[in-house]
Amino acid sequence: MLEFLICRGKYALVLTVSAYSAKKLINCGMKNIVIVPNGIELKKFEGRMKKEDRVVYLGRLVRYKHVDTLIRAAKLVQERMKGRDVKLVIIGEGEERRKLEKLAEKLRCNCEFLGFVSEKRKIRELKRAKIFCSLSSIEGFGISLLEAFASGNAAVVRDLPCYREFAPKNCAIFLSNKEADDPKIVAEKIIKLLTDKHLAKKYAESARKLAKHYDWDKIASYIEKIYERAARSAGEQR
C-alpha cells in the first residue's frame, strides 16, 4: 500500500536500478524515470583468497528466495561428493530462518547460518566460496550477485530479467523457473562447477571483468550528470 501511495506522488525525476523495476513503476503511474544501476566499492573486493568447497547464499531468508530448495540441493551435492567436504554457507536473516534451520537439521545438511554479518566478514565469506547460488524468484537488481562476481564466484542463479540486464550468459549458469525449483537440477549444476575447474574459472573470470563496470565511482559520476541536467531543466522552466 505504501509503495502504491508513493508512486502517486509528483516527481521531477525518479531513479530506479533496472529496466525491470522501471516497468513496474510505469505500471503504477510514475513518469520521468531514469535507470541508474547499483554499484559496489571494488576496492573492498581487491585481493584473492584460496577458494574452498563452499556454496554461499547472501540475502533475506524469506519464502520467495527459495533457500529451502538450495538446502535440499546442497544435501544432494554432499551425498554425491562424499570425498569432498562441501559446505553451504547462508548469510542473512529473515522470517524463514528457524524453519530453514530445522530443514537443514532434518536433512543433516552441512550448512552454516551466519545471520547478519559485518561488511568485512561478508566479503571474506564470498571470496572463500567457489560458488554463489541464488534461486530467488523476485529481485529488483541483484546486488548480491554483483558482489559475488566481484569476489570471483562462479554463480548458479534463477534466470531473472534484472540479472539479464547486466550479466551475459558467460558470467553465470542461469536456470529456468522449472530448473531452479528442482533441487536435483540445481545440485547437478553445482557439482558441474565443483568438478570442472576450467568451466568454473571461465565463469569466475568473466564475472570479475563485468563487475569492474559497476564501481561506485563510475556510477556516482553518472548520477551527478543526471542531477545536473535535471537542475538545468528545472531552472529553464522557471
Side-chain angles (χ1 to χ4, degrees):
M1 181 61 73
L2 181 60
E3 290 177 351
F4 178 78
L5 292 174
I6 290 174
C7 287
R8 291 296 174 179
K10 292 184 179 180
Y11 307 99
L13 189 66
V14 178
L15 302 186
T16 190
V17 295
S18 66
Y20 173 73
S21 296
K23 185 178 180 180
K24 291 175 68 176
L25 292 173
I26 290 171
N27 289 337
C28 287
M30 274 194 164
K31 299 178 180 179
N32 302 321
I33 299 170
V34 177
I35 299 171
V36 180
N38 280 324
I40 55 176
E41 292 185 63
L42 280 177
K43 289 181 179 179
K44 292 183 178 180
F45 294 86
E46 290 178 351
R48 303 194 182 194
M49 292 180 66
K50 182 180 179 181
K51 292 291 186 180
E52 302 175 28
D53 284 340
R54 287 173 166 237
V55 179
V56 65
Y57 165 82
L58 171 63
R60 293 172 61 203
L61 304 183
V62 291
R63 185 174 297 180
Y64 67 81
K65 297 287 188 176
H66 302 284
V67 181
D68 57 330
T69 303
L70 177 55
I71 292 173
R72 295 180 191 280
K75 177 59 180 177
L76 291 175
V77 172
Q78 291 160 9
E79 288 177 344
R80 297 176 192 175
M81 301 184 71
K82 291 182 179 180
R84 292 168 65 168
D85 185 22
V86 180
K87 185 174 186 177
L88 173 61
V89 178
I90 296 175
I91 304 173
E93 281 288 358
E95 61 200 39
E96 292 275 298
R97 176 167 178 171
R98 187 57 195 142
K99 179 180 178 181
L100 294 170
E101 287 176 331
K102 288 181 178 179
L103 175 62
E105 291 171 7
K106 179 182 178 181
L107 296 177
R108 295 185 179 179
C109 177
N110 183 6
C111 176
E112 183 177 10
F113 289 81
L114 299 183
F116 286 122
V117 297
S118 66
E119 185 77 359
K120 187 175 181 180
R121 175 76 185 277
K122 177 187 73 175
I123 294 172
R124 185 167 72 248
E125 292 296 335
L126 285 171
K127 292 170 77 171
R128 286 177 66 186
K130 288 183 179 178
I131 298 172
F132 170 86
C133 187
S134 174
L135 306 176
S136 175
S137 55
I138 302 173
E139 293 289 341
F141 178 79
I143 190 68
S144 60
L145 178 58
L146 193 57
E147 291 176 329
F149 283 174
S151 302
N153 297 137
V156 178
V157 296
R158 189 184 294 266
D159 193 353
L160 299 179
C162 61
Y163 290 160
R164 286 298 191 177
E165 287 184 43
F166 71 86
K169 286 184 178 180
N170 67 338
C171 285
I173 292 179
F174 292 96
L175 305 176
S176 67
N177 285 327
K178 184 177 180 180
E179 292 172 329
D181 290 334
D182 188 337
K184 292 182 180 179
I185 294 178
V186 176
E188 287 173 3
K189 302 304 181 182
I190 292 173
I191 291 172
K192 179 67 174 176
L193 292 176
L194 288 174
T195 56
D196 190 335
K197 293 181 180 179
H198 177 74
L199 180 64
K201 183 177 180 181
K202 177 183 175 182
Y203 280 124
E205 291 301 323
S206 296
R208 276 187 192 275
K209 291 178 182 178
L210 178 73
K212 292 179 180 179
H213 296 289
Y214 291 87
D215 182 60
W216 262 125
D217 288 341
K218 294 181 180 180
I219 303 298
S221 178
Y222 177 51
I223 293 175
E224 185 178 20
K225 291 177 181 178
I226 291 173
Y227 284 164
E228 287 175 351
R229 288 200 299 268
R232 285 198 299 271
S233 177
E236 291 171 359
Q237 291 179 5
R238 289 175 184 174

